[in-house]
């Protein structure tokens, strides 16, 4: 029974991480689009940079969470 609760805990952690990633990427895309329009940029620079920064931060977070302490 203890093994089953450990699996559920890991499943909830990954589900939470996936939710955080999707929300963060959505906000980054919207924020980049809005910023590019506000700054009158002809190339969607922030639309690309902000989501890439979110992905980089999330990768660092996964590495820190899964590394042996």
């Amino acid at each position: 029974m203890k093994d089953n609760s450990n699996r559920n805990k890991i499943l909830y952690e990954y589900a939470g991480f996936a939710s955080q990633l999707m929300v963060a990427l959505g906000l980054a895309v919207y924020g980049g689009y809005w910023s590019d329009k506000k700054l009158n940029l002809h190339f969607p620079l922030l639309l690309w940079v902000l989501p890439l920064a979110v992905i980089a931060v999330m990768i660092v977070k996964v590495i820190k969470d899964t590394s042996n302490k």
Side-chain angles (χ1 to χ4, degrees):
M1 187 71 179
K2 190 172 190 173
D3 186 38
N4 193 19
S5 67
N6 190 25
R7 287 182 188 167
N8 286 341
K9 181 182 175 195
I10 292 171
L11 179 65
Y12 289 138
E13 285 181 18
Y14 282 119
F17 175 74
S19 300
Q20 287 177 356
L21 180 62
M22 295 307 292
V23 169
L25 282 175
L27 290 174
V29 168
Y30 177 74
Y33 178 76
W34 182 82
S35 298
D36 285 337
K37 279 208 169 263
K38 203 70 159 161
L39 296 172
N40 278 337
L41 296 177
H42 298 290
F43 181 75
L45 179 69
L46 295 174
L47 185 64
W48 284 93
V49 170
L50 290 179
L52 289 174
V54 166
I55 291 171
V57 168
M58 289 295 195
I59 289 173
V60 169
K61 181 179 186 268
V62 167
I63 291 171
K64 284 184 178 181
D65 288 346
T66 58
S67 67
N68 294 334
K69 295 179 180 170

